[in-house]
Amino acid sequence: DAGVIQSPRHEVTEMGQEVTLRCKPISGHDYLFWYRQTMMRGLELLIYFNNNVPIDDSGMPEDRFSAKMPNASFSTLKIQPSEPRDSAVYFCASSFLGRGVGEQFFGPGTRLTVL
Amino acid sequence: GENVEQHPSTLSVQEGDSAVIKCTYSDSASNYFPWYKQELGKRPQLIIDIRSNVGEKKDQRIAVTLNKTAKHFSLHITETQPEDSAVYFCAASNNYGQNFVFGPGTRLSVLP
């Protein structure tokens, strides 16, 4: 398996523009997580899905952020409109619950810069 | 919800010395405690984890200890090497992956 795939790897946009980040989890995994990482706030869980259903979105900072998982192999995180304070590295991770919670496999991340 | 604290925030050790990072958690329902290593510019990767039914786990130079009564767990790295330099994150979760919370991280520098 190629691991968790994220695109784009880098995104530079201007304030007010819509940004869409994409993630393909590892095949067979039933959990998908979106994280945001900054120096100031560390690694923050934004939202996670179980079997394509959003379970906890309490980490989503505000209504400008939305996430979807239309099928088991694809998820998006959208920011509309984007603001400079959204600049961060966004990680997607997936895991397989199986017999209990286990390792989360992280994608390479998307480095977002909002000017 | 769960709250995970981690200390120290930065740690410098001489090559060959040991390093210890400590975490505390608040939710008594948490029973899964992983540790992730993140090298500069790379993704976090699991290095070791422990479940509440054991008090200690070792994997070569790294070990993790858990004290459920006190709600704290620690990462121990022995015979540190320069390639151990990274940010280390602890985390806590229940067995269903709920309330999965990362600590703020510890930046470890191993000086040659």
Side-chain angles (χ1 to χ4, degrees):
Chain A
D1 200 316
V4 176
I5 299 172
Q6 290 186 247
S7 65
R9 295 293 305 278
H10 302 273
E11 176 81 21
V12 180
T13 190
E14 292 188 345
M15 182 174 62
Q17 296 297 306
E18 177 180 296
V19 175
T20 299
L21 312 181
R22 297 172 175 80
C23 176
K24 177 179 168 52
I26 294 173
S27 177
H29 282 191
D30 52 1
Y31 277 77
L32 184 138
F33 306 81
W34 281 101
Y35 291 93
R36 177 173 69 177
Q37 186 173 39
T38 61
M39 287 296 293
M40 290 298 295
R41 301 177 68 88
L43 198 58
E44 301 174 276
L45 176 63
L46 300 178
I47 184 171
Y48 75 93
F49 296 82
N50 175 219
N51 291 324
N52 314 337
V53 176
I55 302 300
D56 185 355
D57 65 354
S58 60
M60 296 286 261
E62 46 197 278
D63 292 346
R64 297 185 297 106
F65 286 69
S66 62
K68 295 182 179 180
M69 192 165 185
N71 57 62
S73 58
F74 184 66
S75 176
T76 60
L77 178 67
K78 185 175 294 187
I79 309 172
Q80 165 65 14
S82 59
E83 297 182 2
R85 60 193 167 116
D86 301 331
S87 297
V89 179
Y90 291 81
F91 286 103
C92 173
S94 71
S95 70
F96 174 63
L97 189 61
R99 289 173 289 178
V101 65
E103 180 176 1
Q104 291 188 20
F105 292 83
F106 283 75
T110 295
R111 182 173 296 277
L112 173 65
T113 302
V114 183
L115 304 174
Chain B
E2 178 64 275
N3 180 50
V4 178
E5 297 185 354
Q6 185 171 347
H7 300 279
S9 57
T10 60
L11 178 61
S12 292
V13 299
Q14 289 295 135
E15 183 178 356
D17 287 350
S18 296
V20 180
I21 303 170
K22 299 181 179 181
C23 288
T24 61
Y25 62 99
S26 61
D27 189 349
S28 57
S30 291
N31 54 15
Y32 174 66
F33 308 94
W35 287 87
Y36 284 76
K37 176 183 180 182
Q38 185 178 25
E39 297 177 359
L40 188 62
K42 298 192 175 180
R43 74 193 79 183
Q45 291 189 294
L46 182 75
I47 54 171
I48 195 168
D49 58 11
I50 190 168
R51 299 180 193 271
S52 60
N53 56 344
V54 297
E56 183 176 4
K57 185 176 179 180
K58 287 184 179 180
D59 183 2
Q60 299 182 343
R61 294 186 300 107
I62 60 174
V64 58
T65 58
L66 171 65
N67 183 327
K68 283 219 75 178
T69 302
K71 295 196 187 71
H72 65 73
F73 55 113
S74 301
L75 177 71
H76 304 252
I77 306 174
T78 59
E79 300 173 18
T80 54
Q81 302 167 2
E83 51 265 40
D84 295 329
S85 295
V87 178
Y88 291 81
F89 294 95
C90 62
S93 156
N94 66 17
N95 200 43
Y96 303 98
Q98 297 164 337
N99 292 325
F100 197 109
V101 177
F102 279 92
T106 295
R107 183 174 298 279
L108 173 64
S109 299
V110 180
L111 308 174

